[in-house]
Amino acid sequence: MIFLIFVLGLIIGSFLNVVIYRLPKKESIVYPASHCPNCGHELTPLELIPVFSYIFLRGKCKDCGEKISIRYPIIELFTGIIFIINYIYLSDLIILSAGLIFSSLLIVLTMIDFDHQILPDKLTLGGLGVGLIFSFFRSDISFLFSLSGVIAAGGLLFSIAYLSKGGMGGGDIKMMAMVGSFAGPIIAVSSIFLGAVIALIAHLPGIVSGKTGMKTKLPFGPFLALASFLFWIWSENLFNLYINLFL
Ligand SMILES: [Zn+2]
């Protein structure tokens, strides 16, 4: 079963690559079929197999020899691993399905934020809707809990954005409201704090060396997404760790 979940992750990962590449360019995700961005060579079914196609093509387009980014197979493998982690920690089929969709959204949002410094509404607000709908069918949270997650995380970040006069992007607010819809208020708010801590640590070298000043715009989305995933899977361990460290 774990192997099947891994293969599903590879296939979904391949689809996430398409979304990451095309969504910010406002291209259709289903049409045209996957092709080489350099020569337009349309990929054959064999060349569409995740990871393995990269290996037997030796990272190059069969027609024009253009290098294929190593990022594609890495995201496919990474999605496979994330799917296995969800499978190990989430027992119930409905919660697992929610987890796989939630994790996929976080992966795509992270990569698009890295590439373009945007978090598209289609993913954040669309995901928020999916999170709310899932709450009706899940045994672990209710619709009201899901909704209060949206309000708590969205409200907290909105207040920070308001007080800091635009130090926080609207995309971050909507993304964390989406996290709230899947994970509820406690995890969503905790993820905001953990995300801020991780972001601070990651940017510390830049701040100390003076390369990162008060005016530098720091991408926050990837750190929030990472923290959200950690809390989604390991909330109990993280809360215990926090209690042991600080209380
Ligand atoms: Zn080509």
Side-chain angles (χ1 to χ4, degrees), residues 36 38-39 41 61 64 66:
C36 168
N38 187 45
C39 70
H41 161 69
C61 170
C64 69
E66 175 87 350

Side-chain angles (χ1 to χ4, degrees), residues 155-170:
L156 174 67
L157 281 186
F158 182 78
S159 318
I160 296 174
Y162 184 77
L163 293 172
S164 68
K165 296 190 176 73
M168 168 92 42

Side-chain angles (χ1 to χ4, degrees), residues 1-2 4-10 12-13 15-16 78-90 92-108 130 134 138 178 182 229 232-233:
M1 194 61 201
I2 281 204
L4 286 179
I5 291 284
F6 181 63
V7 172
L8 177 70
L10 295 182
I12 298 291
F15 170 69
L16 299 187
F78 184 72
T79 308
I81 293 165
I82 292 292
F83 272 36
I84 290 178
I85 295 174
N86 272 287
Y87 175 73
I88 292 171
Y89 284 91
L90 310 174
D92 180 285
L93 184 66
I94 303 223
I95 303 172
L96 175 63
S97 311
L100 299 184
I101 293 171
F102 179 57
S103 310
S104 300
L105 282 165
L106 292 178
I107 293 170
V108 172
V130 174
F134 256 106
R138 282 167 58 178
M178 181 275 281
F182 276 94
F229 181 73
W232 170 254
I233 298 291

